[in-house]
């Protein structure tokens, strides 16, 4: 049973609560649904999830798909609803016992009821056109990046992300704007306040997903440079994402945090954007639904690669497979960014040394500082 309006979805839950209800998917979306059920007295039994290491979430048991029992199953996530629905049907759960929603807004209405998230993402509007007709650098973590490059950028406006902090011990440079949105990364780094403070230190602003662990600090005045963004996956089904014109409302996803940083840079008014360390070359890549593995390729520069090994096991546990770069999706995002930039008088250049990203015109990074 698929619902397009929140009223219909909630009514279906209330009817189903007369029987046993299970939430399919014990990740962040499932946890939020569980909190919503508890708030409104909707009785439910627990979760079903493919992660064998999960036992209790939200003080509820987590069952394997093979342990499914009679009852209704509420699919927690919009993005993977079809995959979860198919998994349930393999366990002989009838379609009329599976409750899904076909509009992402239904989930966000539920989330808004819990924490009023809309007022937090609106705070991002203070950055609108703040750097009009200026230049910036968006830094990737690829193996071509060098510490000496960051030293040259100490007086420039820069965007960087994720485990870039592994380089802080080697340089006084800090990004002007730091971004983190991967749910596994955010859970590991932002669950601990000391880590959160470290990520925010020296930056003008930290941008993270309203769905991530950083949301717990939304009223913490000791981290006053923390801003929240809403990530939206519209357009991914056609493999050509949209590009946000208002980052205080939503930012579209395309398989890489670089796409988020490009949208933020355009929103802030930059008309010259230089990419650095965007090698666009991964050890495990997905191409047209086939996976290519290459043992001779490093995803990131050595210090960052070493730091990221701490998260590889967590990624495998969360997704049931090692991190796979969806390069087709990423490429579509870069192509969309160029299309948007060309239409709005923005120049995006690739200053990366080498690599495989050829969507944007190349420039020599060192020549920018002669």
């Amino acid at each position: 049973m698929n619902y397009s309006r929140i009223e219909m979805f909630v009514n279906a839950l209330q009817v189903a609560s007369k029987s046993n209800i299970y939430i399919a998917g014990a990740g962040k979306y499932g946890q939020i649904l569980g909190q919503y059920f508890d708030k409104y007295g909707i009785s439910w039994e627990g979760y079903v999830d493919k992660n064998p290491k999960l036992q209790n979430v939200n003080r509820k048991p987590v069952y394997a798909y093979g342990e499914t029992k009679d009852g209704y199953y509420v699919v927690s996530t919009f993005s993977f609803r079809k995959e979860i629905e198919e998994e349930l049907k393999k366990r002989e759960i009838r379609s009329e016992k599976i409750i899904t929603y076909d509009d992402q807004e239904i989930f966000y209405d539920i989330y808004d009821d819990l924490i009023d998230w809309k007022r937090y993402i609106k705070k991002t509007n203070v950055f609108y056109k703040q750097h009009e007709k200026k230049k910036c650098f968006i830094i990737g973590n690829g193996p071509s990046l060098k510490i000496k490059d960051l030293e040259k950028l100490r007086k420039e406006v820069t965007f960087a992300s994720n485990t870039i902090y592994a380089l802080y011990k080697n340089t006084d440079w800090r990004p002007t704007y730091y971004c983190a949105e991967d749910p596994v990364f955010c859970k590991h780094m932002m669950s601990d306040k000391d880590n959160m403070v470290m990520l925010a230190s020296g930056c003008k602003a930290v941008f993270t997903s309203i769905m991530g662990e950083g949301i717990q600090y939304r009223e913490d005045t000791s981290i006053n440079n923390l801003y929240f963004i809403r990530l939206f996956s519209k357009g991914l089904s056609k493999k050509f994402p949209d590009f946000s014109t208002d980052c205080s409302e939503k930012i579209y996803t395309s398989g890489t945090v670089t796409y988020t940083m490009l949208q933020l840079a355009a929103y802030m008014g930059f008309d010259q954007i230089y990419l650095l360390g965007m090698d666009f070359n991964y050890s495990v890549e997905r191409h047209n639904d086939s996976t290519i593995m290459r043992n001779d390729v490093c995803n990131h520069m050595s210090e960052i690669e070493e730091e990221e090994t701490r998260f590889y096991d967590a990624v495998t546990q969360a997704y049931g497979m090692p991190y796979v770069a969806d390069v087709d999706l990423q490429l579509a995002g870069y192509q969309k960014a160029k299309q948007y930039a060309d239409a709005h008088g923005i120049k995006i250049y690739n200053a990366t040394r080498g690599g495989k990203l050829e969507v944007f015109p190349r420039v020599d990074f060192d020549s920018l500082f002669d």
Side-chain angles (χ1 to χ4, degrees), residues 192-219:
D192 181 87
K193 186 176 178 179
D194 289 341
N195 286 340
M196 187 70 246
V197 170
M198 180 274 294
L199 293 175
S201 178
C203 303
K204 183 174 181 178
V206 170
F207 295 96
T208 190
S209 169
I210 58 164
M211 296 295 299
E213 297 300 315
I215 197 68
Q216 65 185 298
Y217 309 111
R218 61 189 181 277
E219 300 294 347

Side-chain angles (χ1 to χ4, degrees), residues 13-24:
L13 294 176
Q14 291 170 339
V15 171
S17 65
K18 297 175 182 178
S19 180
N20 293 332
I21 289 183
Y22 299 89
I23 295 176

Side-chain angles (χ1 to χ4, degrees), residues 3-4 12 45 65 83 109 199 207 259 269 340 352-353 362:
Y3 297 95
S4 57
E45 303 303 313
Y65 279 99
E83 291 86 344
D109 285 343
L199 293 175
F207 295 96
Y259 194 61
Y340 180 90
T352 300
R353 294 185 180 89
R362 294 270 190 169

